[in-house]
Amino acid sequence: MKTGRMGYLLGVFMLAGMLAGCVGGQKLSEQFDEEEVKAAAEEVIEILNDGDVDTLVEEKWNSTMRGMADKDMMEKDVLPIVEELGAFEGFDKEAVTGNKDKDTEQEFAVAIIIGKYEKRKAQFTISFDEDMKVGGFYIK
């Protein structure tokens, strides 16, 4: 049951990322600062680790993400997955790339961050729009 739920969630978040135009990678646009993107992605992960879904949904998500992953979904389906990882120990590897929505020409920054947890590692792929709001979120 948990594996099915996790697969469903990953699909939803991946869909949100695709809707935001964050499929594939390319050079980071000049409108983004790589260190700022890394810091913003780390902040999103830390907020999630703290279980503060209100802040994620209301302050960090863009309108596309709010439509795909609301507070109830985050509390019901995502927080249990994060809790299963065990205690957060720190960040491991980090990379930042760029992407552009083919239809709208909107630029995105995509951060890929490995988080170390007590039980295992998790890879977060978080895309940001030009307002530094999350437009895509994927965890595996």
Side-chain angles (χ1 to χ4, degrees), residues 82-118:
V82 174
E83 290 169 1
E84 288 176 16
L85 296 170
F88 180 69
E89 297 177 348
F91 297 107
D92 194 7
K93 299 177 184 173
E94 301 177 333
V96 175
T97 64
N99 210 310
K100 182 187 285 190
D101 184 304
K102 293 177 186 175
D103 296 326
T104 66
E105 297 293 313
Q106 183 178 6
E107 297 279 350
F108 291 89
V110 182
I112 302 164
I113 300 191
I114 306 294
K116 294 187 295 184
Y117 291 82
E118 180 181 23

Short mmCIF file of all heavy atoms in Angstrom, two decimals, residues 82-118:
data_model
loop_
_atom_site.label_atom_id
_atom_site.label_comp_id
_atom_site.label_asym_id
_atom_site.label_seq_id
_atom_site.Cartn_x
_atom_site.Cartn_y
_atom_site.Cartn_z
N VAL A 82 8.35 11.31 4.39
CA VAL A 82 9.52 11.98 4.97
C VAL A 82 9.83 11.40 6.35
O VAL A 82 10.99 11.15 6.69
CB VAL A 82 9.32 13.51 5.03
CG1 VAL A 82 10.45 14.19 5.77
CG2 VAL A 82 9.18 14.07 3.62
N GLU A 83 8.79 11.15 7.13
CA GLU A 83 8.99 10.57 8.47
C GLU A 83 9.62 9.19 8.40
O GLU A 83 10.40 8.82 9.27
CB GLU A 83 7.65 10.53 9.21
CG GLU A 83 7.16 11.91 9.61
CD GLU A 83 5.72 11.94 10.10
OE1 GLU A 83 5.08 10.87 10.16
OE2 GLU A 83 5.24 13.05 10.41
N GLU A 84 9.29 8.41 7.36
CA GLU A 84 9.87 7.08 7.20
C GLU A 84 11.37 7.12 6.95
O GLU A 84 12.07 6.13 7.19
CB GLU A 84 9.19 6.35 6.03
CG GLU A 84 7.78 5.91 6.32
CD GLU A 84 7.11 5.27 5.11
OE1 GLU A 84 7.81 4.90 4.14
OE2 GLU A 84 5.87 5.16 5.13
N LEU A 85 11.89 8.25 6.49
CA LEU A 85 13.33 8.38 6.22
C LEU A 85 14.14 8.43 7.52
O LEU A 85 15.34 8.19 7.49
CB LEU A 85 13.60 9.63 5.39
CG LEU A 85 13.01 9.66 3.98
CD1 LEU A 85 13.16 11.05 3.38
CD2 LEU A 85 13.66 8.61 3.11
N GLY A 86 13.51 8.79 8.60
CA GLY A 86 14.22 8.95 9.87
C GLY A 86 14.70 10.39 10.04
O GLY A 86 14.33 11.29 9.29
N ALA A 87 15.54 10.59 11.01
CA ALA A 87 16.04 11.93 11.34
C ALA A 87 16.92 12.48 10.21
O ALA A 87 17.73 11.76 9.63
CB ALA A 87 16.84 11.90 12.63
N PHE A 88 16.73 13.76 9.92
CA PHE A 88 17.53 14.42 8.90
C PHE A 88 18.93 14.64 9.43
O PHE A 88 19.13 15.12 10.54
CB PHE A 88 16.89 15.76 8.53
CG PHE A 88 17.64 16.52 7.48
CD1 PHE A 88 17.69 16.07 6.18
CD2 PHE A 88 18.30 17.70 7.81
CE1 PHE A 88 18.38 16.77 5.20
CE2 PHE A 88 18.98 18.42 6.84
CZ PHE A 88 19.03 17.96 5.53
N GLU A 89 19.94 14.28 8.61
CA GLU A 89 21.34 14.42 9.03
C GLU A 89 22.09 15.50 8.28
O GLU A 89 23.12 15.96 8.75
CB GLU A 89 22.04 13.07 8.87
CG GLU A 89 21.46 11.99 9.78
CD GLU A 89 22.10 10.63 9.59
OE1 GLU A 89 22.85 10.43 8.61
OE2 GLU A 89 21.85 9.75 10.44
N GLY A 90 21.61 15.89 7.12
CA GLY A 90 22.30 16.94 6.38
C GLY A 90 22.16 16.77 4.88
O GLY A 90 21.55 15.82 4.39
N PHE A 91 22.76 17.72 4.16
CA PHE A 91 22.73 17.69 2.70
C PHE A 91 24.02 17.06 2.20
O PHE A 91 25.09 17.25 2.76
CB PHE A 91 22.58 19.11 2.15
CG PHE A 91 21.28 19.75 2.56
CD1 PHE A 91 21.26 20.76 3.50
CD2 PHE A 91 20.09 19.32 2.01
CE1 PHE A 91 20.06 21.34 3.89
CE2 PHE A 91 18.88 19.89 2.39
CZ PHE A 91 18.87 20.90 3.33
N ASP A 92 23.88 16.32 1.10
CA ASP A 92 25.03 15.64 0.53
C ASP A 92 25.43 16.34 -0.77
O ASP A 92 26.05 17.39 -0.73
CB ASP A 92 24.70 14.16 0.32
CG ASP A 92 25.91 13.29 0.05
OD1 ASP A 92 27.05 13.79 0.16
OD2 ASP A 92 25.73 12.11 -0.27
N LYS A 93 25.01 15.84 -1.87
CA LYS A 93 25.37 16.42 -3.17
C LYS A 93 24.29 17.39 -3.64
O LYS A 93 23.12 17.22 -3.36
CB LYS A 93 25.55 15.30 -4.19
CG LYS A 93 26.65 14.35 -3.82
CD LYS A 93 26.74 13.22 -4.81
CE LYS A 93 27.82 12.24 -4.34
NZ LYS A 93 27.85 11.05 -5.15
N GLU A 94 24.74 18.40 -4.41
CA GLU A 94 23.82 19.41 -4.93
C GLU A 94 24.22 19.80 -6.35
O GLU A 94 25.41 19.88 -6.66
CB GLU A 94 23.85 20.68 -4.06
CG GLU A 94 23.49 20.45 -2.62
CD GLU A 94 23.60 21.70 -1.77
OE1 GLU A 94 24.40 22.60 -2.10
OE2 GLU A 94 22.88 21.77 -0.78
N ALA A 95 23.23 20.03 -7.19
CA ALA A 95 23.47 20.50 -8.55
C ALA A 95 22.32 21.40 -8.95
O ALA A 95 21.20 21.25 -8.47
CB ALA A 95 23.56 19.31 -9.51
N VAL A 96 22.60 22.35 -9.84
CA VAL A 96 21.58 23.27 -10.33
C VAL A 96 21.70 23.35 -11.85
O VAL A 96 22.80 23.50 -12.38
CB VAL A 96 21.73 24.68 -9.71
CG1 VAL A 96 20.73 25.65 -10.32
CG2 VAL A 96 21.57 24.63 -8.21
N THR A 97 20.56 23.23 -12.52
CA THR A 97 20.50 23.41 -13.97
C THR A 97 19.37 24.36 -14.29
O THR A 97 18.65 24.80 -13.39
CB THR A 97 20.25 22.06 -14.71
OG1 THR A 97 18.97 21.56 -14.34
CG2 THR A 97 21.32 21.05 -14.39
N GLY A 98 19.19 24.64 -15.56
CA GLY A 98 18.10 25.50 -15.99
C GLY A 98 17.18 24.77 -16.93
O GLY A 98 17.49 23.66 -17.40
N ASN A 99 16.05 25.39 -17.21
CA ASN A 99 15.12 24.85 -18.18
C ASN A 99 14.19 25.96 -18.65
O ASN A 99 14.04 26.97 -17.97
CB ASN A 99 14.31 23.70 -17.59
CG ASN A 99 13.92 22.70 -18.66
OD1 ASN A 99 13.40 23.08 -19.70
ND2 ASN A 99 14.19 21.44 -18.41
N LYS A 100 13.58 25.74 -19.80
CA LYS A 100 12.67 26.73 -20.36
C LYS A 100 11.42 26.00 -20.85
O LYS A 100 11.52 24.98 -21.53
CB LYS A 100 13.32 27.45 -21.53
CG LYS A 100 12.47 28.54 -22.15
CD LYS A 100 13.08 29.13 -23.39
CE LYS A 100 14.23 30.04 -23.03
NZ LYS A 100 14.70 30.83 -24.19
N ASP A 101 10.27 26.53 -20.50
CA ASP A 101 9.02 25.99 -20.99
C ASP A 101 8.93 26.30 -22.49
O ASP A 101 9.03 27.45 -22.90
CB ASP A 101 7.84 26.63 -20.24
CG ASP A 101 6.51 26.04 -20.63
OD1 ASP A 101 6.17 26.06 -21.83
OD2 ASP A 101 5.80 25.58 -19.72
N LYS A 102 8.75 25.26 -23.29
CA LYS A 102 8.73 25.44 -24.75
C LYS A 102 7.56 26.29 -25.22
O LYS A 102 7.67 26.99 -26.22
CB LYS A 102 8.69 24.07 -25.43
CG LYS A 102 9.94 23.27 -25.23
CD LYS A 102 9.81 21.90 -25.86
CE LYS A 102 11.04 21.06 -25.51
NZ LYS A 102 10.92 19.70 -25.99
N ASP A 103 6.44 26.22 -24.52
CA ASP A 103 5.25 26.96 -24.94
C ASP A 103 5.28 28.41 -24.51
O ASP A 103 4.90 29.30 -25.27
CB ASP A 103 3.99 26.29 -24.39
CG ASP A 103 3.77 24.90 -24.95
OD1 ASP A 103 4.13 24.66 -26.13
OD2 ASP A 103 3.27 24.04 -24.21
N THR A 104 5.71 28.68 -23.28
CA THR A 104 5.65 30.04 -22.74
C THR A 104 7.00 30.76 -22.76
O THR A 104 7.04 31.96 -22.51
CB THR A 104 5.15 30.03 -21.29
OG1 THR A 104 6.12 29.35 -20.46
CG2 THR A 104 3.80 29.34 -21.18
N GLU A 105 8.08 30.00 -23.01
CA GLU A 105 9.44 30.56 -22.97
C GLU A 105 9.86 30.98 -21.57
O GLU A 105 10.85 31.68 -21.39
CB GLU A 105 9.60 31.73 -23.96
CG GLU A 105 9.41 31.34 -25.41
CD GLU A 105 10.50 30.41 -25.93
OE1 GLU A 105 11.69 30.70 -25.70
OE2 GLU A 105 10.17 29.40 -26.56
N GLN A 106 9.10 30.58 -20.55
CA GLN A 106 9.43 30.91 -19.17
C GLN A 106 10.64 30.10 -18.72
O GLN A 106 10.72 28.90 -18.95
CB GLN A 106 8.25 30.63 -18.25
CG GLN A 106 8.50 31.01 -16.81
CD GLN A 106 7.29 30.77 -15.92
OE1 GLN A 106 6.28 30.21 -16.34
NE2 GLN A 106 7.40 31.18 -14.67
N GLU A 107 11.58 30.76 -18.06
CA GLU A 107 12.79 30.12 -17.55
C GLU A 107 12.55 29.56 -16.15
O GLU A 107 11.81 30.15 -15.35
CB GLU A 107 13.94 31.14 -17.48
CG GLU A 107 14.35 31.70 -18.81
CD GLU A 107 15.27 30.80 -19.61
OE1 GLU A 107 15.77 29.79 -19.06
OE2 GLU A 107 15.50 31.11 -20.80
N PHE A 108 13.18 28.44 -15.86
CA PHE A 108 13.13 27.81 -14.55
C PHE A 108 14.53 27.42 -14.12
O PHE A 108 15.39 27.16 -14.95
CB PHE A 108 12.26 26.54 -14.58
CG PHE A 108 10.80 26.81 -14.77
CD1 PHE A 108 10.25 26.89 -16.04
CD2 PHE A 108 9.98 27.01 -13.68
CE1 PHE A 108 8.91 27.15 -16.22
CE2 PHE A 108 8.63 27.27 -13.84
CZ PHE A 108 8.10 27.34 -15.12
N ALA A 109 14.74 27.37 -12.81
CA ALA A 109 15.96 26.82 -12.23
C ALA A 109 15.56 25.50 -11.57
O ALA A 109 14.51 25.41 -10.94
CB ALA A 109 16.54 27.76 -11.18
N VAL A 110 16.40 24.49 -11.74
CA VAL A 110 16.11 23.18 -11.18
C VAL A 110 17.26 22.77 -10.27
O VAL A 110 18.41 22.67 -10.71
CB VAL A 110 15.92 22.12 -12.29
CG1 VAL A 110 15.57 20.77 -11.69
CG2 VAL A 110 14.86 22.56 -13.29
N ALA A 111 16.94 22.56 -8.99
CA ALA A 111 17.94 22.11 -8.01
C ALA A 111 17.73 20.63 -7.75
O ALA A 111 16.60 20.18 -7.53
CB ALA A 111 17.80 22.89 -6.71
N ILE A 112 18.83 19.89 -7.77
CA ILE A 112 18.80 18.47 -7.42
C ILE A 112 19.68 18.31 -6.19
O ILE A 112 20.88 18.61 -6.23
CB ILE A 112 19.32 17.60 -8.57
CG1 ILE A 112 18.47 17.87 -9.82
CG2 ILE A 112 19.30 16.12 -8.19
CD1 ILE A 112 19.08 17.40 -11.10
N ILE A 113 19.05 17.89 -5.10
CA ILE A 113 19.76 17.83 -3.81
C ILE A 113 19.55 16.47 -3.18
O ILE A 113 18.42 15.98 -3.10
CB ILE A 113 19.29 18.94 -2.86
CG1 ILE A 113 19.56 20.30 -3.51
CG2 ILE A 113 19.92 18.81 -1.49
CD1 ILE A 113 19.40 21.49 -2.64
N ILE A 114 20.64 15.89 -2.72
CA ILE A 114 20.58 14.63 -1.98
C ILE A 114 20.57 14.98 -0.49
O ILE A 114 21.46 15.67 0.00
CB ILE A 114 21.79 13.72 -2.27
CG1 ILE A 114 21.95 13.46 -3.78
CG2 ILE A 114 21.68 12.41 -1.48
CD1 ILE A 114 20.85 12.68 -4.41
N GLY A 115 19.55 14.50 0.20
CA GLY A 115 19.46 14.68 1.65
C GLY A 115 19.81 13.38 2.35
O GLY A 115 19.36 12.31 1.94
N LYS A 116 20.64 13.47 3.38
CA LYS A 116 20.99 12.28 4.17
C LYS A 116 20.07 12.20 5.38
O LYS A 116 19.91 13.18 6.11
CB LYS A 116 22.45 12.35 4.64
CG LYS A 116 23.46 12.29 3.51
CD LYS A 116 24.88 12.19 4.00
CE LYS A 116 25.28 13.43 4.75
NZ LYS A 116 26.67 13.43 5.18
N TYR A 117 19.49 11.04 5.55
CA TYR A 117 18.59 10.78 6.66
C TYR A 117 19.09 9.57 7.44
O TYR A 117 19.95 8.82 6.95
CB TYR A 117 17.16 10.54 6.16
CG TYR A 117 16.51 11.77 5.59
CD1 TYR A 117 16.75 12.17 4.28
CD2 TYR A 117 15.68 12.55 6.37
CE1 TYR A 117 16.17 13.31 3.76
CE2 TYR A 117 15.08 13.70 5.86
CZ TYR A 117 15.34 14.07 4.55
OH TYR A 117 14.76 15.22 4.05
N GLU A 118 18.54 9.37 8.60
CA GLU A 118 18.94 8.28 9.48
C GLU A 118 18.85 6.92 8.79
O GLU A 118 19.75 6.10 8.90
CB GLU A 118 18.05 8.31 10.72
CG GLU A 118 18.33 7.23 11.73
CD GLU A 118 17.38 7.33 12.91
OE1 GLU A 118 16.27 7.89 12.78
OE2 GLU A 118 17.75 6.83 13.97
#
